[in-house]
Amino acid sequence: MSSVTVIGAGVVGLSVAHELAGSGHRVRVLADRPATASVSAVAAAIWFPHDVQRSAAVVDSSAVAYRRFRELAADPATGVHMRTGMVHVRRPDADLSWTRAVPDHEITPEGVRCTVPLIETGVYLSWLRDAVLAQGTPIRTHRVTSLGDVLPDTDAVVVAAGIGSAALLGDDEVYPIRGQVVRLANPGLTDWLTDEDNPDGLTYVVPRRDDVVCGGTGEVGDWNEVPDPRIEAAILRRVRALVPALEGQPVLSRAAGLRPARSTVRVERVPGHPGPVFACYGHGGAGVTLSWGDAARIAALVVS
């Protein structure tokens, strides 16, 4: 048993902490904000490898997370549900490698119809936090500005702080992709849809129990976390064109967040430190989708 400090309390950081504690390590989590205030809380959180390079490792981690979420969907307290929907495909060369991770999918003239996990982030992040705490892992709100302040007090460190990981590890490959959503009252929808190549802009409709998450945007390099009314109006035009039932539904809330993107997802040991340091970040818009798979990869690295 070793002591491991996980930096970051979003969906990736908490998943890593859960896997490490489950493997017998003594774990603590340090983060500058709680999970419910992280970019994870903004996500529509439909299982899908969005805004991330779809390497073989990414698809493998997606498959691991798919299976874990499917198991969690048996417990209503987790906020995880299996929902059917459509990934619209508009290009003949579209990358469909992700379908390898989905047991039951059907390729149609419109795209790919499949059943995937839908994660209600407000419920799920609270459940995951409580599950980590129940393992005896403390979660402390603390801004880490240097690994040198942490390493003397722990056997190993896992940097899983999303976009904040760049400063801690001097990684200039990390950049934000701004995402904006608007949440409407749900008129009774259950099926979700995504349309990444919509000529008018990225479009998705994700019905949850009490609302419908509508998006979106993918503004590379934009650090603005304040919702833009003009962008919201454009989102509403696109989603209502695809799903007329959303016409007239009231706006319940709105949000914007920064997807922590990178040229490739970074899951590895980082050399050059006085103690073992591991990276787990750069997930773009696929943090939830890759969470359990990459957490398992980190747990394997820590003991190797």
Side-chain angles (χ1 to χ4, degrees):
M1 179 183 292
S2 61
S3 64
V4 184
T5 297
V6 177
I7 302 175
V11 69
V12 173
L14 290 180
S15 301
V16 167
H18 191 280
E19 289 297 283
L20 290 171
S23 298
H25 298 284
R26 298 189 309 274
V27 183
R28 65 171 177 170
V29 177
L30 302 177
D32 63 353
R33 63 179 74 180
T36 51
S38 69
V39 68
S40 302
V42 177
I46 192 80
W47 180 100
F48 189 74
H50 177 63
D51 272 344
V52 67
Q53 183 188 42
R54 294 171 191 169
S55 64
V58 162
V59 176
D60 288 345
S61 283
S62 299
V64 170
Y66 183 102
R67 293 192 293 269
R68 179 69 70 89
F69 282 127
R70 186 170 55 187
E71 294 170 0
L72 292 174
D75 180 0
T78 64
V80 180
H81 313 276
M82 299 301 293
R83 291 281 179 82
T84 300
M86 171 68 72
V87 177
H88 284 272
V89 176
R90 295 175 181 264
R91 295 184 294 108
D93 61 342
D95 181 0
L96 300 182
S97 60
W98 59 272
T99 59
R100 177 167 62 83
V102 182
D104 298 311
H105 65 272
E106 178 188 5
I107 298 177
T108 73
E110 293 77 28
V112 181
R113 187 161 182 80
C114 53
T115 301
V116 302
L118 166 66
I119 295 89
E120 299 215 23
T121 50
V123 177
Y124 178 71
L125 290 173
S126 295
W127 173 86
L128 182 56
R129 176 202 61 208
D130 291 346
V132 169
L133 291 171
Q135 293 174 309
T137 296
I139 301 173
R140 180 184 167 201
T141 301
H142 173 72
R143 185 177 183 84
V144 178
T145 58
S146 169
L147 295 184
D149 297 335
V150 178
L151 280 170
D153 303 322
T154 192
D155 294 327
V157 174
V158 179
V159 179
I163 205 157
S165 303
L168 288 172
L169 292 177
D171 188 345
D172 59 7
E173 291 189 46
V174 180
Y175 59 94
I177 299 179
R178 182 181 182 276
Q180 182 168 324
V181 298
V182 54
R183 304 179 184 105
L184 303 180
N186 191 343
L189 302 176
T190 56
D191 283 14
W192 52 267
L193 66 85
T194 66
D195 190 357
E196 288 190 306
D197 296 316
N198 188 316
D200 294 324
L202 169 66
T203 307
Y204 50 86
V205 175
V206 181
R208 304 191 297 188
R209 182 182 58 189
D210 299 320
D211 62 11
V212 182
V213 182
C214 302
T217 63
E219 299 153 284
V220 174
D222 191 332
W223 290 87
N224 182 15
E225 295 184 77
V226 178
D228 184 322
R230 293 172 299 175
I231 291 175
E232 179 177 304
I235 290 172
L236 291 174
R237 285 194 296 271
R238 295 199 299 274
V239 299
R240 286 167 176 162
L242 284 175
V243 185
L246 293 174
E247 191 69 48
Q249 295 301 315
V251 172
L252 301 181
S253 64
R254 49 183 59 89
L258 307 179
R259 303 180 186 113
R262 193 175 182 273
S263 56
T264 58
V265 177
R266 192 177 192 188
V267 181
E268 63 183 5
R269 181 166 178 169
V270 183
H273 295 276
V277 173
F278 301 88
C280 190
Y281 61 88
H283 295 92
V288 171
T289 302
L290 298 173
S291 56
W292 288 114
D294 281 357
R297 291 174 63 193
I298 287 293
L301 287 172
V302 170
V303 299
S304 62

